[in-house]
Amino acid sequence: MFGVTNWLPFDSELKWVMEVIFHCTIDMMAIYAVFGMAYFTAKEYRKDGIISGAVGLLSFLIISFQTVDNTIPIFSQFLMSQGMLIALIIGYLVARVLIFFDNSRLDGRYKIIIPILIVMVLASLLNMLSFFVLKLEIPTYVASFVMRNTQINALLYVLSMGFLTNLLSWMAIGGPFSDSPTFTDAPSMANMNEALKNGSSWNVPYKFTDTTLFHSFANFGGSGVMIALIIAILIFSKKEQNRNVSKWSIFPAIFNSHYSMMLGIPVLFNPVFLIPFVMAPLFNMIIAALFIVLHWIPVAAYPVPSGTPGPLIGFIGTNGSWLSLILGAALLIIDVLIYLPFVKLSDRISQEAGEIDEN
């Protein structure tokens, strides 16, 4: 749409570099979490954090490893990019196993060898279990469900699955919808083929999918419309720590990574932010669906690059519909207002807690 390949020099090389950065940071965030949890758990008990972190990382890689015939080794994208809670639990348990054996009466060398062997065996068993779960082909059944149902049932399905995705993200568990649109499921492929055939995406067969609603209008800055929370904190919050975290989180949030805010504020398991975290995306999807039903905006049917900033997904996916971009901007402003009272509530709770500590 922007003709980038025609005017940007070394566009292929730049794309390669950015993909490397993306896949080694945001796309495998959980491996940093498992190392950090194992490291700091061991340090809390005055043990060697480096060894615990390394063993935790090893166990998580074993669990995430996927064996695919005739291809290079790959790791589960679900665990690497969305399995934050699983990584934290694994890191903690690995550290506790090492701590237990370090406090035992075993000979010095066996205090390391035995727990590492136990961790590796258990991790391998969990890997086998995850392999059988993947064979169920849940994404295929999900796509078929959307394909078989009427548009109104598809809308209710997308709204409910979007709500569940954000709720599970608040719990650091990957939800039914992925972090970014893939455009490889059956409805998305059908929409794209229809748009390419007719030259527009106004009359595609599947108007309500995770791509057309959730990713295009409800995933700005990552789950929970995280970029709205960042803006709300920077404008209205008086808590310096939250403002600093938000400033450092702007860049990853632009590319739909919410982990720094989830852990830094924290939003993770924080009841103060639960309501806006799940309701703001739901509101966005309902309004976007209304605009689509009224035929005011086309459907996002064209593929967008991975990591595209959230507000631009609907714009690029509709091949440059300015009304879609304006709608996204308006929804973002409303989302900031939705977060506003909860940001002030968080500040008030922190202030009262500080006063209690001083007394």
Side-chain angles (χ1 to χ4, degrees):
M1 185 176 66
F2 296 106
V4 174
T5 56
N6 297 325
W7 56 265
L8 181 65
F10 305 107
D11 60 282
S12 298
E13 290 77 5
L14 289 173
K15 177 183 177 183
W16 174 267
V17 171
M18 295 307 295
E19 284 185 349
V20 169
I21 295 174
F22 170 77
H23 289 300
C24 293
T25 54
I26 297 172
D27 208 33
M28 55 174 60
M29 188 65 69
I31 67 171
Y32 303 105
V34 69
F35 180 90
M37 175 59 80
Y39 176 87
F40 287 109
T41 301
K43 298 296 284 187
E44 184 70 20
Y45 289 86
R46 305 181 187 278
K47 303 298 181 182
D48 192 326
I50 298 296
I51 293 179
S52 294
V55 177
L57 180 59
L58 173 64
S59 65
F60 190 75
L61 290 176
I62 292 175
I63 294 171
S64 305
F65 181 80
Q66 294 180 336
T67 303
V68 182
D69 294 336
N70 301 323
T71 63
I72 61 175
I74 60 174
F75 297 91
S76 170
Q77 183 180 5
F78 172 81
L79 290 177
M80 285 290 179
S81 61
Q82 301 181 58
M84 179 69 75
L85 180 61
I86 298 174
L88 293 174
I89 293 174
I90 292 172
Y92 176 76
L93 294 177
V94 167
R96 291 308 302 265
V97 169
L98 291 172
I99 292 168
F100 173 81
F101 279 92
D102 190 65
N103 292 332
S104 68
R105 297 181 179 180
L106 292 174
D107 185 67
R109 55 185 176 181
Y110 294 114
K111 289 183 178 182
I112 296 295
I113 296 175
I114 292 178
I116 290 178
L117 291 175
I118 292 175
V119 167
M120 292 179 65
V121 170
L122 292 177
S124 300
L125 293 175
L126 287 175
N127 177 274
M128 294 177 61
L129 178 62
S130 64
F131 173 76
F132 287 113
V133 171
L134 289 174
K135 290 187 67 175
L136 296 177
E137 297 183 344
I138 294 177
T140 301
Y141 293 122
V142 169
S144 300
F145 179 90
V146 178
M147 292 281 287
R148 290 195 302 265
N149 283 268
T150 63
Q151 288 296 293
I152 186 62
N153 286 338
L155 175 59
L156 294 176
Y157 165 79
V158 173
L159 293 178
S160 60
M161 290 298 102
F163 178 87
L164 180 60
T165 296
N166 285 292
L167 178 61
L168 293 177
S169 294
W170 179 79
M171 301 168 61
I173 304 174
F177 292 155
S178 62
D179 286 340
S180 59
T182 60
F183 295 93
T184 57
D185 58 279
S188 294
M189 292 295 292
N191 284 349
M192 183 172 61
N193 289 333
E194 186 68 20
L196 292 174
K197 183 170 64 175
N198 296 326
S200 74
S201 59
W202 285 98
N203 298 309
V204 295
Y206 303 101
K207 293 180 171 60
F208 306 128
T209 69
D210 60 327
T211 300
T212 62
L213 293 181
F214 180 78
H215 291 298
S216 296
F217 296 100
N219 203 37
F220 300 163
S223 299
V225 196
M226 190 58 67
I227 200 167
L229 175 58
I230 293 175
I231 295 172
I233 289 176
L234 291 177
I235 295 177
F236 302 107
S237 178
K238 297 179 181 179
K239 188 177 179 182
E240 192 62 28
Q241 178 183 345
N242 287 356
R243 292 176 59 83
N244 288 334
V245 172
S246 298
K247 290 176 183 177
W248 284 102
S249 301
I250 292 175
F251 183 77
I254 290 175
F255 300 100
N256 303 325
S257 175
H258 60 273
Y259 288 117
S260 57
M261 288 291 288
M262 295 294 287
L263 296 172
I265 295 299
V267 178
L268 190 66
F269 291 107
N270 188 340
V272 174
F273 292 113
L274 174 58
I275 293 177
F277 191 85
V278 297
M279 296 309 298
L282 186 63
F283 171 81
N284 288 10
M285 288 189 289
I286 292 174
I287 298 301
L290 178 62
F291 271 63
I292 291 175
V293 169
L294 295 175
H295 217 67
W296 289 352
I297 60 173
V299 174
Y302 300 95
V304 298
S306 178
T308 299
L312 293 180
I313 292 178
F315 178 64
I316 297 176
T318 57
N319 199 29
S321 168
W322 286 100
L323 188 54
S324 296
L325 183 62
I326 294 172
L327 174 61
L331 290 175
L332 182 58
I333 293 173
I334 297 174
D335 294 334
V336 172
L337 297 177
I338 292 175
Y339 269 108
L340 172 58
F342 299 93
V343 169
K344 292 185 175 181
L345 175 61
S346 177
D347 281 6
R348 188 162 62 250
I349 292 174
S350 298
Q351 182 179 0
E352 293 175 355
E355 293 175 353
I356 292 175
D357 291 339
E358 290 178 358
N359 295 332

